[in-house]
Amino acid sequence: GVIGSADELAGTFVMHGYVDDDLSLDLGNLTVAVDGSTLFVDDDGATLDSAGFFAAVVAGSTLVEVHGVLSGETLAADRIEVEDHSGGSSVASQVKIEGVLTDLQIGGGTLLVLDVKKGEEDAELILGGLGDPDSIEISFDNTTIVIDDDTVGDSSALVVGQRLVVSFPTFTGEPFFASKIDLKSEAQYEGVLTDVDAPGEAATATLDDDDLAIATGLVDDDTTEVAIDLTGSTFELDTDGHPALTIDDLVVGLKVELEGTFGGSSSSPTFAATKLKVHAGEAEGTVDLVDSDLRLFMASIAEVDDPWGDVDPDSLSTFFLTDSVVFTGDVSTEQEFFDAFAALGTGETLEVEVQGLVTDSLNYYFDVYEVKVELASN
């Protein structure tokens, strides 16, 4: 939105805010609060301190894009990007496109188009003339601004597979020149673990047949094993709150999402992981027994929706509640779950949808992170 007034001493400014880049979805007046951690980026890509930002503000004319957390009518800013100081007139013809970088060369690359964020009419006109391609060719140079969270850099930060929002000052023909590139997420690849070497902090995986790494030639196909270096990686589960895991939680057969950088050849690829997200196993069944002291329950599993690792739950499975377990449905706490089972009447059952990981494949023990509970009557 356009800044209406600013108060440097209070560390705030008031702007008329909009949800979208085309300034059509009106939020009304918002108070934006900044602090010592706020990143300020000028319209030329230079970073500013708080004093420099407020000194450059032209009330009624400075157009900014603010990233942060909105609470009521106050927006706590993590990052502020100055679009221009003329009410948006200098960026009126700008087009912004969100997409995935599928190819990268010196001075350019290929962007798989996901969404037009700004200038939809202009983009549709030009893309229609090109036959509405799924991907477009883009170019960039040393004047292109690349923003990654709290840092401003250049095109050396780009890698194939990243999700980007690319700003084009004009949009007339390929290759479309990018004046600014905002990294929305690191390159992500999905597959299944085929081996885990916890002491060696390494693993191998095969990727899904439609994965971007295969489509772009980084990996030959879905049978090619990728050697993963996990020494610099973090680990998390994709359940509520994204609980942290360790390498010891990894087992063969888990579906994973990887962030990092490829190396090697397409026939013998390597991967230096910076983050590994595990997709929790999912199953549905009926609770047969509970033990509140041991914080566990046994259930007869009727359906497995996603793999739990090297074994999946069955009728002999035991589920242990983790400290971060979340209950939803007809109960909201662990105690309510045990109480509900104890209070079951004739013909009543507790049906559960559980998410978690295998911890002991020989004894069919599983750790549970989410439980959706339904009190059912036969």
Side-chain angles (χ1 to χ4, degrees):
V2 175
I3 296 176
S5 62
D7 186 339
E8 181 180 356
L9 290 179
T12 62
F13 61 84
V14 176
M15 72 174 187
H16 196 95
Y18 297 86
V19 174
D20 61 323
D21 290 296
D22 285 318
L23 308 183
S24 59
L25 299 177
D26 197 334
L27 283 174
N29 286 334
L30 297 174
T31 297
V32 179
V34 306
D35 59 26
S37 65
T38 303
L39 173 68
F40 301 94
V41 184
D42 207 355
D43 56 349
D44 62 357
T47 56
L48 303 170
D49 58 16
S50 179
F53 169 76
F54 280 102
V57 167
V58 180
S61 295
T62 298
L63 176 67
V64 293
E65 179 178 306
V66 182
H67 301 254
V69 178
L70 180 63
S71 178
E73 295 181 355
T74 300
L75 180 57
D78 299 320
R79 184 172 85 226
I80 298 173
E81 301 170 31
V82 177
E83 296 285 328
D84 76 359
H85 295 284
S86 55
S89 62
S90 69
V91 292
S93 60
Q94 183 186 68
V95 170
K96 289 186 180 181
I97 294 179
E98 183 170 358
V100 176
L101 191 64
T102 59
D103 185 48
L104 181 63
Q105 305 293 333
I106 296 175
T110 304
L111 185 71
L112 175 65
V113 177
L114 299 179
D115 185 33
V116 179
K117 310 291 287 186
K118 181 182 179 183
E120 187 172 0
E121 289 187 7
D122 291 338
E124 286 182 349
L125 178 64
I126 299 300
L127 294 178
L130 295 175
D132 291 319
D134 293 330
S135 300
I136 59 174
E137 298 302 312
I138 65 172
S139 65
F140 41 76
D141 60 21
N142 58 5
T143 67
T144 302
I145 306 163
V146 179
I147 301 177
D148 183 7
D149 287 335
D150 57 354
T151 59
V152 178
D154 55 29
S155 60
S156 63
L158 300 177
V159 297
V160 169
Q162 287 171 324
R163 194 181 184 106
L164 316 170
V165 173
V166 184
S167 299
F168 305 97
T170 59
F171 200 77
T172 55
E174 292 183 300
F176 299 99
F177 176 72
S179 58
K180 184 173 71 172
I181 300 173
D182 190 350
L183 305 186
K184 304 302 291 184
S185 68
E186 291 299 320
Q188 298 173 340
Y189 310 95
E190 295 190 7
V192 176
L193 293 178
T194 56
D195 187 47
V196 178
D197 176 12
E201 296 186 275
T204 59
T206 54
L207 301 183
D208 296 346
D209 58 3
D210 59 351
D211 191 81
L212 186 65
I214 295 175
T216 56
L218 293 172
V219 176
D220 278 349
D221 55 38
D222 61 350
T223 66
T224 305
E225 290 204 333
V226 179
I228 307 169
D229 179 2
L230 297 170
T231 54
S233 182
T234 60
F235 308 90
E236 67 177 41
L237 194 64
D238 68 346
T239 55
D240 188 88
H242 299 287
L245 301 175
T246 71
I247 193 171
D248 293 321
D249 295 311
L250 304 182
V251 294
V252 170
L254 285 175
K255 293 174 65 176
V256 294
E257 183 178 288
L258 299 163
E259 293 184 10
T261 306
F262 271 98
S265 64
S266 63
S267 60
S268 185
T270 60
F271 190 81
T274 57
K275 181 179 179 181
L276 185 149
K277 181 187 292 185
V278 175
H279 292 287
E282 296 186 27
E284 303 173 26
T286 304
V287 178
D288 299 316
L289 177 148
V290 302
D291 188 324
S292 59
D293 292 330
L294 295 178
R295 302 184 66 221
L296 63 81
F297 65 90
M298 298 185 70
S300 298
I301 297 302
E303 183 175 351
V304 175
D305 300 312
D306 278 316
W308 292 66
D310 50 358
V311 298
D312 290 326
D314 65 8
S315 59
L316 301 175
S317 301
T318 303
F319 298 91
F320 294 86
L321 303 179
T322 61
D323 291 339
S324 59
V325 65
V326 174
F327 286 90
T328 60
D330 291 338
V331 305
S332 57
T333 68
E334 183 175 325
Q335 189 60 52
E336 287 180 4
F337 170 72
F338 290 121
D339 290 345
F341 184 83
L344 288 177
T346 302
E348 294 181 327
T349 60
L350 274 189
E351 303 298 318
V352 291
E353 296 178 15
V354 290
Q355 296 186 49
L357 300 172
V358 63
T359 55
D360 184 337
S361 57
L362 292 178
N363 292 300
Y364 283 77
Y365 289 168
F366 301 87
D367 277 354
V368 176
Y369 291 83
E370 286 191 26
V371 186
K372 183 179 180 180
V373 181
E374 179 186 356
L375 179 60
S377 297
N378 295 330

